[in-house]
Amino acid sequence: MKINQFAYVPTNHAAIVKELAAAQFLSARTRKMADPVMLYRELLLKFFMEKRQSRAVRIQKVANMMATTDLNAYDYTTQQAAVSRIAFYNVGLQLLGFQVGLDFELADPFTKMAALKLPTIDTDDPLTRDQLIDAWYRLLNTRTKFGQTLIDYLAGQGYYDQFKDESQFPRPFFFNGKAQAVFDTSRLIRDVVYVEAPLDTDHDGHRDLLKAEIIRPADTESSLKVPTVFTASPYDQGTNDEAADKLTHDVNHPLARKQPNKATYDDVKAPDDDPVLPEPRVIKGNTDVAEETFTKNWTYTLNDYFLARGFAVVYSAGVGTKDSDGVRTTGTKAETISATSVIEWLHGDRPAFTNRNDQIEIKAWWSNGNVAMTGRSYLGTLSTAAAMTGVTGLKTAVVEAGISNYYDYYRENGLVVAPGGFQGEDTDVLGELTFSREQSAADCLKIKDSWLAQLKKLTAGQDRETGNYNSFWDARNLLKNVNIKCDMLLVHGLNDWNVKLSHVWNLRNRLKQEPITQKLVLHQGQHEYLNNFRSVDFTDLVNLWLSNKLYDVDNAAVQTVPDVLVQDNAEAETWHTYPDWGAPSSKQYTLDDSYFTNLNENSKFSDQLPDDLFKSYVKNPNKWQHALFTKSHSKMTNHAIQLVSEPLSNDIIIDGRPKITLSASSSANVGVISVALVDYGKAKRLTAVPQVLANQQIITGYNWRKDNLREFVPEKKASAYKKFTDAHINLQNRENAYRVDNVSPDQFYTFDLDFQPTFWRLLAGHQLGIVIYGTDMDYTIRGNQAITYHVDLANSSISLPILRTDSANK
C-alpha cells in the first residue's frame, strides 16, 4: 500500500493559523493556549464534532486511541507534560484509519509512514506549540487509508454540517487551496433548459434546441453565484445498442488494392462550411424559474464530488439525442457547437428556453460565468473540441482519454482499424448508437428521413474501402483549427487500446505552441476514470485545479500540480513526476544487430493461416496474441519475425514515440505490416483494469454519494510478456495516409513507421522484443490472404527514445 500525495500546497504558519481558525479547529480561546499538551487535547476533542456531541462522548472517542504502548490518547494529554513526535503520529495514524497491530506498531509509527508515503513534518521532539499547529494542519491534509484527505473524511462525517446554521461560516470554503464539502446536497436544485444552438443539423428550418440538465446548490437561490462543471455526453440520454450492433461492419474480408494517386493535402482538405442558418427564435417572455426537473441514472462521481463543494454540474447530450433537435454527426464541428452553445449560455452569451415550444427565455442567472469541462472518451473528446474554439467562459478542461483526431481513432496509416475491443465499429455505428432521438416514437418518425440520409453520408464519407485520409476525416481533426484560451489537464491510460496514446501525444505537442498551461497524468489503466484510486490523489489535484480556474483562488495550482505525472508500470502504487513526456534523444539499432536474437531465424513470414486456425483466432484473439508473442514455438512461429534483445543489464525507460524503419516486400500487390514492442520477463504485472479495494468507502460529502476505492494491482500469476506499444501500416500508404502508392509483388520498399507513444520501464534482466507480423486480429481487416512478407533486417532499424532514469523525481 502506497498513498502518494501531489496536491498538498505548502503553507506557512501564519496562513495555517488563519485556515484552522476559519475551519473552527482554532477558536479565540485555543489560539491563546501556550501549552502544547492542552492545545493538542482540544484539537482532538474538536475532531469528534464539538457542536454535535457531548464532551463526555468526545473524551471517550479520544480515549479509544493509543498514544503510546501504555497510554491512551486522552490520558496522554492529561498526564504528560509535552507532545512527543511518536505520540502525535501514533494518534495521527489511527485518525487516518490505520489499525494498531495490523497496519502499524505503536513502538515505531515512522517506518510504516515512510513505507506508505505518508508525510511527517520536521519538528522538535517534543513538539512546540507552533509545530503542533503545523503538524495538525498537515495531518488534516494527509490522505487516509481509504484515499481521501482526513479533512474530506471529516466533512463526510458531518464536520462542516455542524456549522450549517452559522451565517458567518463561509460558503464556499477553501482549505489548503481546495474547495470543501460545505454545501447541503440534500437540497440540490435540478433544472432542465433548452439551449438554442446556431445549428440546423436536421434541416427542419429551425435552429436546434439542445436539452441541458442542471444540478446546482440551493444556496444559489439566495444570490450565490457558482461556477459550473460541464460534461457533454452523447450517451447521457440513452443508447441504441441493438441497432448499433446490427450496423457493425464485417472485418473478415481481404485487404483491397487501392488505385495509386499523387494526392496532396489540398486534395483532401475539408471545405470551410458556413451554412446559412434559420433565424433565431423570437423571445416571447422571460423567467428565472425552470419548468422541468429530472432524475439521473448515471452521474460522474467526480462531478458529484464537486456538487458538495459549491459547483453546479451540467450534463448535455447534444444534437440528435433524446429531447434535443438535430442528428448525430460523429465528430464534426456541429457536435463541438453543441458543447460550446451550452457554455455560452452559462456565460450569458446565448439564449435558452424553459421548454421546446413557448419561447420563454431563462438565463443562467445563478452562474458566475466560469466553466470547466470533464469526462472520458467521447466526453473528453468534446471537451477538447470545445477548448480548441476558444469559447468565452471555458476556463479549463479535464480531458480523460479524449480523441484528438477521429482518423487516428478509426484508421491508421491507410488502414481501417478498430478501437480496442470494438472490431467493426465506425462513425456510422457510433452515430446510430448515440442517436437517442430514436427512443421517442413520434420524434423519431418526424426525423427518420433526415437521419437515414445522415447515416448514409457517414457510411460513404468514412470510406472503409480504402482507409485513406480524406475530407471527411479532415473535418474531424480537432487539431486543425486551434484557438485555445483555457488551460488543460490531460489524463490518459498507458494501456488504453481504445483511444490510443497518439491522441494525447499529438494534442499535447500541438498545445505546446499555445500560450496556455497544460498538465499531464499517465496511468497504467486502459480506458479508465482515475478519481477513486488509493495510490494517487487525483480528485484533490482536480479540486486544486478547478478551485483556481473557476473560483480564482490563489492556491499555487499551476506550481503544485506536476507538469507530467506518470504511474510506474513495474512497481505497484508508485508515481513519478517529470518535466516533460518524450526523451530528448534516441538510441538506434539495426534489426540484424547482434544485440537481438532472431528467435525463429527467419526474415520472411506468411500471413495466411490454416482455415480452422484462422477461425479459432477470430473467435478468440487472446489465443492468437499468446501464440504471436510467446517466446516458445507456437502455431504463429512461421507467421512473424520475432527479435529479442539480450537481457538488460539495467532498467531502461522508453519515453515517447519509438520509430521503426523497415525495408520490406509483399508477394502481392497489397500488404499490411504490423509491429509490436514487447516486454519479455516473468513478472506479476499490474492489471490494466482496476480492482476494488474497498466497497463504497469514499464519501464525497455529508450524507452524499459514495464510491469504491480502486487500484491497479499486481496480477495473481506472473506473466511472461507484455505488449506495450504497436504500429500498423498499409504498404500502399508509405508516404502518408492520403497518398496511395503502388505495391509491386516482391519489390522492397523502405518506409518509416511510428509506434504509439509510450512511457514504459523494462526491468534489468528483462528483454525487449520486436515482433513483426501482418494481420492484427484485434485491430486490422482480417483477410487471411496468401501473402508472404520479406523484411531486409540489415536495412531496417529501430529508434528508441530512452530516458535517463536519474531524471525522474522519485
Side-chain angles (χ1 to χ4, degrees), residues 510-558:
R510 178 62 185 83
L511 293 179
K512 287 180 179 180
Q513 303 172 33
E514 304 300 320
I516 66 161
T517 298
Q518 58 165 306
K519 304 290 184 176
L520 174 66
V521 180
L522 296 173
H523 59 80
Q524 287 300 321
Q526 294 178 353
H527 208 53
E528 302 292 341
Y529 282 118
L530 198 61
N531 57 295
N532 53 2
F533 277 65
R534 180 174 66 191
S535 68
V536 65
D537 55 336
F538 177 75
T539 299
D540 294 330
L541 284 169
V542 178
N543 188 336
L544 187 73
W545 188 254
L546 296 193
S547 294
N548 172 256
K549 304 302 175 187
L550 301 188
Y551 266 117
D552 297 319
V553 176
D554 185 9
N555 59 8
V558 171

Side-chain angles (χ1 to χ4, degrees), residues 409-412 415-419 423 425 500 728 779-780:
Y409 186 66
Y410 288 117
R411 305 288 184 269
E412 184 177 356
L415 285 172
V416 173
V417 296
Q423 267 282 30
E425 189 194 295
K500 302 180 185 73
H728 311 85
Y779 298 106
T780 67

Side-chain angles (χ1 to χ4, degrees), residues 149-160:
T149 58
L150 187 56
I151 193 69
D152 262 0
Y153 164 79
L154 271 180
Q157 300 303 306
Y159 179 80
Y160 293 122

Side-chain angles (χ1 to χ4, degrees), residues 322-336:
K322 188 177 180 182
D323 298 331
S324 292
D325 294 330
V327 294
R328 300 303 299 161
T329 62
T330 313
T332 68
K333 184 179 177 180
E335 291 186 357
T336 304

